[in-house]
Amino acid sequence: MTKAELVKEISNRTSMAQKDVASVIDVLPEVIKETVANGDKINLVGFLTATKKHVPAKSGKTVLGGIEKPWTTEPKDEVSIKLSKSYKTI
């Protein structure tokens, strides 16, 4: 399903204008990212939970052509989204 199809379907089911539904869908990722970045949790019961997850720094070695090349990553925070149990099986 494309975004346009999703907008149309939601519009049909809710009697909201397609323009309004599209606006909500456009701003939703920004709102989730900003809310979680501030340390708040988003819990849409029966759908999903979004939280901030800390990923520690990592390091390792890659061997290419017999040459070892070390690598590292910086620690970072990312958005963790978990679907509710009702969506795990269809």
Side-chain angles (χ1 to χ4, degrees):
M1 178 178 277
T2 65
K3 178 183 169 187
E5 293 168 336
L6 180 63
V7 167
K8 188 174 182 178
E9 184 65 27
I10 292 172
S11 176
N12 290 339
R13 291 186 184 198
T14 63
S15 72
M16 290 176 60
Q18 287 187 19
K19 185 173 119 179
D20 296 335
V21 173
S23 295
V24 170
I25 290 175
D26 288 340
V27 76
L28 186 62
E30 293 174 36
V31 171
I32 291 173
K33 185 177 179 179
E34 290 169 4
T35 303
V36 172
N38 289 332
D40 296 327
K41 178 180 177 178
I42 295 176
N43 187 15
L44 302 176
V45 177
F47 183 49
L48 63 80
T49 302
T51 56
K52 184 164 129 178
K53 176 181 160 186
H54 180 73
V55 179
K58 298 177 187 176
S59 62
K61 296 178 191 172
T62 302
V63 179
L64 295 173
I67 301 172
E68 284 189 8
K69 185 176 180 181
W71 57 269
T72 59
T73 62
E74 297 294 320
K76 61 184 176 182
D77 292 327
E78 44 183 50
V79 176
S80 172
I81 296 180
K82 294 184 180 178
L83 289 174
S84 71
K85 290 180 183 179
S86 63
Y87 285 92
K88 302 240 174 172
T89 58
I90 297 177

